[in-house]
Amino acid sequence: MSVIYDYHCHSTASDGTLSPTELVEAAAAAGVQQLALTDHDTLAGLPEAAAAARACGLSLLPGIEVSVAWSRREVHIVGLGMDIADPGLVALVAAQQQARVRRAETIGKRLDKAAGLAGSYGRAAALAGTDAPGRPWFARMLVAEGKVRDEEHAFNRFLKAGQSAYVSTPWIEMAEAVAVLRAAGGVAVVAHPVRYGLTRRKLRQLLTDFCEAGGQALEVAMPRLNEAQQALLRECLRDFPLHASGGSDFHTPAQKWLTLGRLPTLPEGAQPVAELLRPGAALAA
Ligand code: MN
Ligand code: MN
Ligand code: MN
């Protein structure tokens, strides 16, 4: 019998809408037995999530989703099973948070002009409850202020690449992030490999560099993959020395098509990423 797991999801510690406790309770209600909370560039939700997991009787893995730079692009690396007190990891999180705060302040300044809304940064920060609100929080803020119809409109009109309030961020280099995650006892996973708009050739280049840097796993089990994407990911697992991970990338119950822990089974012959976790990695077991 295989474990029902979900190794990629978000809480209010980053851009999700459920608190860590609510998220763990939702996962337990959905039948998830092992959950990794992987908020963007922060570990802040993990202590609360661990307490909730103990109360619900599910296993919680420490996780994070790190935004990194690779080949002049932004790629996301999920870390699983790290020691969350590791000084190198704590320093990485602090540097990424600082980059996020600066980016958010710049987005705010641009929105003040572009959307004609004074104090955009402060409004988004207040809504998010953090100094480093990500773009989804700016989108929610613009909806709340009546500047756009919905969040998608906010992205299309202001926030996505090419629009007036888009700001790129100087993230840590991929190889450096992988090294930090490994040194902290964690496993590095390429998140949602089909979502970067990479050609097959570019994706293979990414995985070559990732493996060279010490990366060990690829997220292959995720909702709503089409046949061609599934075939591409099977090919990558076959051709690279990578274990297989999976996660929903759940952010909010408003994503009605997503359920925590409801993932396609791993391709035949795939080695589950759980095999790479160090003993005692779970914060709640
Ligand atoms: Mn997100
Ligand atoms: Mn991501
Ligand atoms: Mn994510």
Side-chain angles (χ1 to χ4, degrees):
M1 205 194 81
S2 58
V3 170
I4 300 174
Y5 71 98
D6 195 321
Y7 295 159
H8 189 157
C9 60
H10 299 272
S11 75
T12 48
S14 63
D15 58 350
T17 62
L18 299 183
S19 70
T21 299
E22 290 166 340
L23 180 77
V24 167
E25 287 171 356
V32 173
Q33 294 160 299
Q34 186 163 58
L35 183 74
L37 174 60
T38 56
D39 277 309
H40 296 283
D41 296 307
T42 183
L43 304 164
L46 289 168
E48 182 186 322
R54 266 175 235 121
C56 293
L58 68 74
S59 168
L60 184 85
L61 289 175
I64 191 168
E65 182 174 16
V66 184
S67 298
V68 305
W70 174 77
S71 187
R72 293 184 304 282
R73 297 162 188 272
E74 179 180 321
V75 169
H76 291 177
I77 302 297
V78 161
L80 298 174
M82 315 78 62
D83 168 8
I84 61 173
D86 178 84
L89 179 63
V90 170
L92 176 150
V93 168
Q96 294 280 99
Q97 282 300 316
Q98 207 172 52
R100 284 184 172 275
V101 171
R102 280 197 299 265
R103 177 180 69 160
E105 288 169 345
T106 309
I107 291 173
K109 277 185 200 133
R110 296 202 184 170
L111 278 180
D112 285 355
K113 283 189 196 146
L117 184 66
S120 297
Y121 168 72
R123 292 169 199 264
L127 198 60
T130 152
D131 290 343
R135 289 185 295 164
W137 286 112
F138 281 98
R140 288 167 198 150
M141 181 277 290
L142 289 167
V143 174
E145 298 294 338
K147 294 290 179 183
V148 290
R149 288 188 301 279
D150 54 26
E151 292 170 28
E152 192 184 350
H153 187 203
F155 270 85
N156 288 334
R157 173 91 174 73
F158 298 113
L159 296 168
K160 74 176 185 188
Q163 296 306 314
S164 52
Y166 177 77
V167 178
S168 68
T169 317
W171 301 122
I172 185 175
E173 284 294 322
M174 178 173 76
E176 199 185 333
V178 170
V180 170
L181 292 169
R182 291 292 308 271
V187 179
V189 186
V190 174
H192 44 65
V194 300
R195 269 203 237 141
Y196 305 117
L198 299 174
T199 61
R200 172 173 172 279
R201 190 187 136 95
K202 254 309 198 194
L203 177 59
R204 293 180 69 94
Q205 187 60 54
L206 168 68
L207 297 180
T208 300
D209 292 352
F210 177 71
C211 290
E212 225 162 75
Q216 293 170 292
L218 184 66
E219 209 171 74
V220 298
M222 44 195 297
R224 305 216 297 175
L225 290 173
N226 65 34
E227 234 343 286
Q229 292 170 328
Q230 290 176 36
L232 176 63
L233 295 177
R234 279 197 301 271
E235 176 195 303
C236 292
L237 280 186
R238 187 192 67 210
D239 293 350
F240 293 88
L242 291 167
H243 283 59
S245 186
S248 61
D249 206 4
F250 179 94
H251 282 71
T252 166
Q255 296 167 293
K256 298 218 183 298
W257 59 91
L258 278 190
T259 304
L260 284 155
R262 192 171 301 162
L263 304 170
T265 53
L266 295 181
E268 211 182 324
Q271 295 168 284
V273 69
E275 290 177 1
L276 297 174
L277 296 168
R278 68 194 159 86
L283 293 175

